[in-house]
Amino acid sequence: MTRLDANDISNPVFVRFYRSSRKTAIKRGETQHRRKVLYGLAGRVVELGPGDGANFPLYPTTVTEVIAVEPEPRFRDQAALAAQDAPVAIHVEPGTAEAIPARDDSIDAVVASLVLCTVPDQAAALAEARRVLRPNGELHFYEHVHAQGQPLRSFLEAADRSRIWPTVAGGCRPVRNTLAAIERAGFKVEVCERFRFSPSALAPRIPFILGVARNV
């Protein structure tokens, strides 16, 4: 039985849904997005909400250490197993994006990969990322965001209001303007690619952003 700590976020439905849906997403090309978000990383890295450790096999060997902060205990168990076969040293830790277990100015880069849509307090999570990053450290982000045009915009807003989507998708808020939130947090966005991707045949091609922002 998976042990729950006081600060854990338990999403058993999402864990089952994510594990099955990711297999389809991989077949449709998701791995290339994950490779891109990890490109150029070096030194000490924090990954926020790694889930089952999907990014772990893809880390470049220029990374000396990854602190992977995962609040869902089932994902944390799966990530710990994935870390054993990773090409770099990865330590899976309990915690949340709003309270990263790292000292001020001690991290070279923070990775946010399909997680900033789910954190309860996006502004607090980005503020924590800045706190732990050294001056000129990098935030590497790969996130889905709100649509700019119709009818997809209305579809995502309806999903956001529903009770089903947040339960199935681990608290996901599909209408967030994450790029604007990154800029409001004080990061300087240096590279940002916007594209559409459908992780499954049943899902619409929703907008994503992928890039690098600097802690200035």
Side-chain angles (χ1 to χ4, degrees):
M1 179 179 294
T2 300
R3 185 174 63 86
L4 296 177
D5 293 327
N7 295 323
D8 282 342
I9 298 174
S10 180
N11 282 310
V13 174
F14 176 52
V15 171
R16 290 194 296 270
F17 170 76
Y18 179 82
R19 293 281 283 180
S20 60
S21 65
R22 193 164 70 78
K23 294 178 182 177
T24 304
I26 290 171
K27 293 178 182 178
R28 298 173 72 87
E30 184 193 64
T31 301
Q32 67 177 328
H33 306 150
R34 294 183 181 274
R35 288 190 188 278
K36 280 186 178 182
V37 76
L38 301 180
Y39 178 78
L41 288 171
R44 300 186 73 222
V45 174
V46 163
E47 181 172 348
L48 304 178
D52 63 357
N55 286 336
F56 292 179
L58 309 176
Y59 269 96
T61 54
T62 46
V63 171
T64 57
E65 178 189 16
V66 178
I67 302 169
V69 183
E70 176 54 57
E72 217 296 333
R74 297 163 189 84
F75 272 149
R76 200 160 58 237
D77 290 345
Q78 294 164 7
L81 290 175
Q84 295 176 10
D85 297 322
V88 301
I90 299 179
H91 307 286
V92 180
E93 303 286 350
T96 67
E98 296 92 341
I100 299 171
R103 298 190 309 274
D104 295 2
D105 307 330
S106 64
I107 300 298
D108 296 296
V110 171
V111 173
S113 178
L114 305 178
V115 68
L116 291 177
C117 60
T118 65
V119 295
D121 191 334
Q122 195 178 66
L126 289 166
E128 269 291 274
R130 288 200 71 198
R131 178 186 68 79
V132 302
L133 278 171
R134 62 171 175 78
N136 291 315
E138 296 177 340
L139 171 69
H140 288 228
F141 57 88
Y142 163 43
E143 300 286 343
H144 70 85
V145 294
H146 200 4
Q148 296 176 321
Q150 298 291 1
L152 185 55
R153 188 174 180 87
S154 292
F155 172 83
L156 293 177
E157 288 170 355
D160 187 61
R161 292 191 299 268
S162 74
R163 295 182 179 180
I164 297 174
W165 180 252
T167 300
V168 172
C172 171
R173 302 297 305 274
V175 299
R176 285 181 170 172
N177 186 345
T178 299
L179 185 61
I182 290 170
E183 293 173 327
R184 283 195 303 271
F187 287 98
K188 179 183 179 183
V189 176
E190 296 189 336
V191 179
C192 183
E193 174 186 359
R194 186 181 289 267
F195 60 94
R196 285 194 176 191
F197 174 66
S198 172
S200 78
L202 299 177
R205 294 179 68 248
I206 59 176
F208 286 77
I209 55 172
L210 192 159
V212 178
R214 193 165 297 278
N215 182 28
V216 296

